[in-house]
Amino acid sequence: MTRPTVMAVFGTRPEAIKMAPVVQALAADPDINTRVVITAQHRQLLDQVIDLFRLPVHHDLDIMQQRQTLPELSARIMTRFSPILMEEKPDLLLVHGDTSTTCIASLAAFYQQVAVGHVEAGLRTDDLYNPFPEEMNRRVTSQLARLHFAPTETAKAALLREGHPLDHITVTGNTVIDALLQTVATNKTKQFPEFADLPTDKRLLIVTAHRRENWGEPMRQMAEAFRDILDRFPDTHLVFPMHPNPVVREVVEPILADHPRASLIQPLDYAPFCHLMARATLVLTDSGGIQEEAPSLGKPVLVMRTTTERPEALYAGTVTLVGTERATIRDKASELLGDPAAYAAMSKAVNPYGDGKAAMRTHQAIRHFLGLSAERPAEFAPLA
Ligand code: UD1
Ligand code: UDP
């Protein structure tokens, strides 16, 4: 009997981090022929994750271009990925999340009537333009998917509200927690030379920002707010691993580069970044994945957005939405840095997003779909 083929496709850093545990589980299963396609919508950011998790790559579409636009990116993914699907005819295509790679690869699969499994399905803000274009990408992907791997009950409820059948949905937990736990455990005793110059007597503020809707004026306001915070708290040091997109650097560098307590650095590989998060006093970000990781490490997160598709840590009280205005970011950060009680209330470790077994549940649900196992997995439920 020929083994069924499961193909995973991804293109950006967070997709790779979150798909890695699933690819590892599938690749270890002798009943499944696992194939991996990278669109390389990101290049350097993606390659370091592939190396870290030692992921097999069967096709590299190498599509990234500097300052790529959404139409160009989408066209390149569709035209380069479709022939591979046609050639390999997988029994299931796995996509992750809400990037252009996710949405366009799913549409390519639909055109060839290949079933799609969507990892991290059902996240919603209910504002089509926020985050942009991710909210639309994930909604379209949900329409195209046959299997929905929802990280939480909230995500499952969103999918049910939209009419997706209950037996197409599995609550798995988020695979980012699998990746984080694996990475922290493997690198527990490692020394990271990239941090040799970081002061050990200062409270560390870790910052990342990249979202399209924050390009330009919102990002300028954020950078001004960081400067204000550093000036107000001389015992703090800011570390900003900057996204390689020149659109981010052009705004941030003129405001922060000359500050003696700001380190504007290259993006970090995932292992050192996890180490840095674990050392942080406070995380300020517009990232999706970091909203899931930092609470699990007990780090308060100020999310520089007006909405989030990840409400669970908001409810748990470890994440706060602060928008993108200078005064609001500065004042909320000041409250936490200046008031130990406010800080303590936000810095408890919570794990609403996963228990490290999301990839195992995803793998089991895939086996069930392929007719390799009779049982569906027991769903993820966070500890109260
Ligand atoms: C993309 C995703 C976003 C995701 C983010 C994760 C889309 C539309 N956006 O946004 O959902 O949250 O990735 O980081 O799918 N660049 C490099 N090297 C790299 C990566 C990027 O130089 O390794 C530069 C290039 O100039 C590139 C630009 O960054 O054109 C933007 O990359 P792109 O993938 O289009 O958008 P992101 O903002 O990274
Ligand atoms: N990350 C990393 N190095 C960095 C910054 C972030 O490895 O310098 C990781 C982070 O831990 C998380 C992921 O990249 O797992 C988030 O990526 P990003 O913020 O680019 O995308 P998003 O999650 O917003 O889609």
Side-chain angles (χ1 to χ4, degrees), residues 17 20 129 132 135 145 156 201 212 230 248 259-260 266 280 319 335 348:
I17 292 169
Y129 284 91
F132 174 81
E135 180 73 6
K156 177 180 183 176
D201 60 342
R212 267 184 161 75
L230 285 170
V248 174
H259 198 290
Q266 297 299 324
V319 161
E335 190 187 318
K348 51 187 185 288

Short mmCIF file of all heavy atoms in Angstrom, two decimals, residues 17 20 129 132 135 145 156 201 212 230 248 259-260 266 280 319 335 348:
data_model
loop_
_atom_site.label_atom_id
_atom_site.label_comp_id
_atom_site.label_asym_id
_atom_site.label_seq_id
_atom_site.Cartn_x
_atom_site.Cartn_y
_atom_site.Cartn_z
N ILE A 17 8.44 28.43 12.94
CA ILE A 17 8.57 28.08 14.36
C ILE A 17 7.38 27.22 14.78
O ILE A 17 7.52 26.19 15.46
CB ILE A 17 8.66 29.35 15.23
CG1 ILE A 17 9.99 30.08 14.96
CG2 ILE A 17 8.50 29.04 16.72
CD1 ILE A 17 10.08 31.49 15.55
N ALA A 20 7.22 23.72 12.98
CA ALA A 20 8.34 22.81 13.22
C ALA A 20 7.93 21.59 14.05
O ALA A 20 8.23 20.45 13.64
CB ALA A 20 9.51 23.56 13.88
N TYR A 129 -9.60 44.88 8.64
CA TYR A 129 -8.36 45.60 8.31
C TYR A 129 -7.36 45.61 9.47
O TYR A 129 -6.40 46.37 9.43
CB TYR A 129 -8.69 47.03 7.86
CG TYR A 129 -9.25 47.04 6.46
CD1 TYR A 129 -10.61 46.95 6.22
CD2 TYR A 129 -8.39 47.09 5.36
CE1 TYR A 129 -11.11 46.93 4.93
CE2 TYR A 129 -8.88 47.07 4.07
CZ TYR A 129 -10.24 47.00 3.86
OH TYR A 129 -10.74 46.96 2.58
N PHE A 132 -3.76 43.75 9.25
CA PHE A 132 -3.88 43.78 7.79
C PHE A 132 -2.60 43.24 7.15
O PHE A 132 -1.52 43.72 7.49
CB PHE A 132 -4.10 45.22 7.33
CG PHE A 132 -4.09 45.38 5.84
CD1 PHE A 132 -5.22 45.09 5.10
CD2 PHE A 132 -2.94 45.79 5.18
CE1 PHE A 132 -5.22 45.21 3.71
CE2 PHE A 132 -2.94 45.92 3.79
CZ PHE A 132 -4.07 45.63 3.05
N GLU A 135 -6.16 39.34 8.98
CA GLU A 135 -7.52 38.94 9.34
C GLU A 135 -8.24 38.34 8.12
O GLU A 135 -8.93 37.33 8.24
CB GLU A 135 -8.29 40.13 9.91
CG GLU A 135 -9.72 39.83 10.33
CD GLU A 135 -9.86 38.99 11.60
OE1 GLU A 135 -8.84 38.71 12.28
OE2 GLU A 135 -11.01 38.60 11.92
N ALA A 145 -10.29 25.38 4.06
CA ALA A 145 -9.73 24.25 4.82
C ALA A 145 -10.78 23.18 5.12
O ALA A 145 -11.95 23.48 5.36
CB ALA A 145 -9.12 24.76 6.12
N LYS A 156 -12.07 27.78 18.42
CA LYS A 156 -13.06 26.80 17.97
C LYS A 156 -14.45 27.44 17.88
O LYS A 156 -15.19 27.24 16.91
CB LYS A 156 -13.09 25.63 18.96
CG LYS A 156 -14.14 24.57 18.65
CD LYS A 156 -14.09 23.47 19.70
CE LYS A 156 -15.06 22.36 19.43
NZ LYS A 156 -14.91 21.26 20.41
N ASP A 201 23.01 44.95 35.18
CA ASP A 201 22.45 45.68 36.32
C ASP A 201 21.25 46.54 35.92
O ASP A 201 20.87 47.46 36.64
CB ASP A 201 23.54 46.57 36.94
CG ASP A 201 24.07 47.58 35.92
OD1 ASP A 201 23.87 47.36 34.71
OD2 ASP A 201 24.68 48.59 36.33
N ARG A 212 2.18 45.61 9.32
CA ARG A 212 1.94 46.55 8.21
C ARG A 212 1.09 47.75 8.63
O ARG A 212 1.34 48.87 8.22
CB ARG A 212 1.22 45.81 7.06
CG ARG A 212 2.15 45.24 6.03
CD ARG A 212 1.38 44.60 4.88
NE ARG A 212 2.22 44.47 3.71
CZ ARG A 212 3.19 43.57 3.57
NH1 ARG A 212 3.46 42.74 4.54
NH2 ARG A 212 3.89 43.52 2.46
N LEU A 230 12.85 55.17 28.47
CA LEU A 230 14.27 55.07 28.85
C LEU A 230 14.69 56.31 29.64
O LEU A 230 15.43 56.20 30.64
CB LEU A 230 15.14 54.94 27.60
CG LEU A 230 15.12 53.58 26.90
CD1 LEU A 230 15.82 53.66 25.55
CD2 LEU A 230 15.76 52.50 27.77
N VAL A 248 10.73 49.37 8.61
CA VAL A 248 10.78 49.45 10.07
C VAL A 248 12.00 50.25 10.50
O VAL A 248 11.91 51.20 11.29
CB VAL A 248 10.83 48.03 10.69
CG1 VAL A 248 11.04 48.08 12.19
CG2 VAL A 248 9.56 47.24 10.33
N HIS A 259 20.59 56.50 21.41
CA HIS A 259 20.34 56.44 22.86
C HIS A 259 21.32 55.45 23.50
O HIS A 259 21.43 54.30 23.04
CB HIS A 259 18.90 56.03 23.15
CG HIS A 259 18.49 56.37 24.55
ND1 HIS A 259 18.99 55.72 25.65
CD2 HIS A 259 17.67 57.33 25.03
CE1 HIS A 259 18.48 56.25 26.75
NE2 HIS A 259 17.68 57.25 26.40
N PRO A 260 22.03 55.87 24.56
CA PRO A 260 23.05 54.98 25.13
C PRO A 260 22.48 53.72 25.76
O PRO A 260 23.21 52.75 25.95
CB PRO A 260 23.73 55.86 26.19
CG PRO A 260 22.77 56.97 26.47
CD PRO A 260 21.97 57.18 25.22
N GLN A 266 20.24 43.21 15.13
CA GLN A 266 19.69 42.37 14.07
C GLN A 266 18.66 41.42 14.68
O GLN A 266 18.72 41.12 15.88
CB GLN A 266 20.79 41.53 13.42
CG GLN A 266 21.86 42.34 12.71
CD GLN A 266 21.28 43.16 11.57
OE1 GLN A 266 20.37 42.73 10.87
NE2 GLN A 266 21.80 44.37 11.41
N ALA A 280 13.80 39.22 30.36
CA ALA A 280 13.15 40.53 30.26
C ALA A 280 12.38 40.90 31.52
O ALA A 280 11.88 40.03 32.23
CB ALA A 280 12.19 40.53 29.08
N VAL A 319 -1.38 40.31 29.69
CA VAL A 319 -1.20 41.09 28.47
C VAL A 319 -2.16 42.27 28.50
O VAL A 319 -3.30 42.11 28.94
CB VAL A 319 -1.50 40.18 27.24
CG1 VAL A 319 -1.79 41.01 26.01
CG2 VAL A 319 -0.35 39.22 26.96
N GLU A 335 3.70 52.83 34.55
CA GLU A 335 2.94 52.27 35.67
C GLU A 335 3.56 50.94 36.12
O GLU A 335 3.77 50.71 37.31
CB GLU A 335 1.51 52.06 35.18
CG GLU A 335 0.50 51.72 36.26
CD GLU A 335 -0.84 51.36 35.60
OE1 GLU A 335 -1.25 52.04 34.62
OE2 GLU A 335 -1.44 50.37 36.05
N LYS A 348 2.56 36.98 36.42
CA LYS A 348 2.41 35.56 36.75
C LYS A 348 2.46 34.73 35.47
O LYS A 348 1.96 35.16 34.42
CB LYS A 348 1.11 35.33 37.52
CG LYS A 348 -0.13 35.91 36.86
CD LYS A 348 -1.34 35.78 37.77
CE LYS A 348 -2.61 36.25 37.09
NZ LYS A 348 -2.76 37.67 36.89
#
